[in-house]
Amino acid sequence: MGGTFPMSNSPQVLSVPGPNQRPRKKVALKPGFSPLDWARLSASGKDLRGVSELRLISMDEVALHNKRTDCWMVIAGNVYNVTHYLEYHPGGKGELMRAAGKDGTALFNKTHKWVNAESILRECMIGFCSGPSKHQTAAAEESDSSTYSCNITKHSVPQT
């Protein structure tokens, strides 16, 4: 069975962005900040969460953590403290900061839906989103784009 690798519709293929897409760019990471270095740090036992236990967190609380020195975001209903991950993100800190203090699910899925954020950020998970803020709910109703609602009905604690 012949064929080419990677397949033409694979995310591994360098493609030209469509009319509604930003070009993907990777940045040069400082030595010691590669994906393998992140995997080592994640497995090291160092506290990357900054909280003692997982809990429900409102979007209003997430919104308070929108700086490079204190950065939380929501992806698929999970809340992550990505402060330590900023230096390791292949797209650079700036790209990750686009979702700082926000629900980054739509942006994450638009940029790289095939990436398993839960696995990469497992040691940064601090809780579960309890629901959208009043401001975000109003903005979502005015927008024609779909956003993740952050309504959690069932969740489990990740195994470390």
Side-chain angles (χ1 to χ4, degrees), residues 6-7 12-16 19 23 32 36 49 51 73 81 86-87 105 108 122 125 128 139 142 152 157:
M7 294 184 61
Q12 296 173 331
V13 174
L14 180 63
S15 63
V16 177
L36 284 175
R49 292 183 174 137
V51 299
M73 70 179 54
N81 177 352
L86 290 171
E87 296 282 343
T105 304
F108 180 86
R122 175 173 285 126
M125 187 174 168
F128 309 94
E142 292 174 14
I152 303 299
V157 177

Side-chain angles (χ1 to χ4, degrees), residues 50-61:
V51 299
S52 58
E53 61 186 31
L54 299 178
R55 62 186 175 89
L56 288 176
I57 302 170
S58 71
M59 280 306 300
D60 292 326
E61 184 178 355

Side-chain angles (χ1 to χ4, degrees), residues 106-125:
L107 179 62
F108 180 86
N109 287 338
K110 181 178 178 183
T111 307
H112 38 51
K113 190 174 184 158
W114 62 90
V115 174
N116 185 337
E118 192 172 326
S119 174
I120 293 171
L121 298 174
R122 175 173 285 126
E123 297 305 318
C124 299
M125 187 174 168

Side-chain angles (χ1 to χ4, degrees), residues 20-25 59 62-63 65-68 71-75 82 86 89 91-112 136:
N20 296 328
Q21 293 178 317
R22 291 170 35 139
R24 254 185 97 201
K25 60 181 179 180
M59 280 306 300
V62 171
H65 302 272
N66 61 359
K67 298 169 187 63
R68 288 178 187 233
C71 185
W72 293 8
M73 70 179 54
V74 176
I75 300 175
V82 296
L86 290 171
H89 186 256
K93 290 181 263 189
E95 282 299 302
L96 212 51
M97 290 303 295
R98 292 174 60 201
K102 302 174 188 171
D103 185 341
T105 304
L107 179 62
F108 180 86
N109 287 338
K110 181 178 178 183
T111 307
H112 38 51
Q136 287 176 321

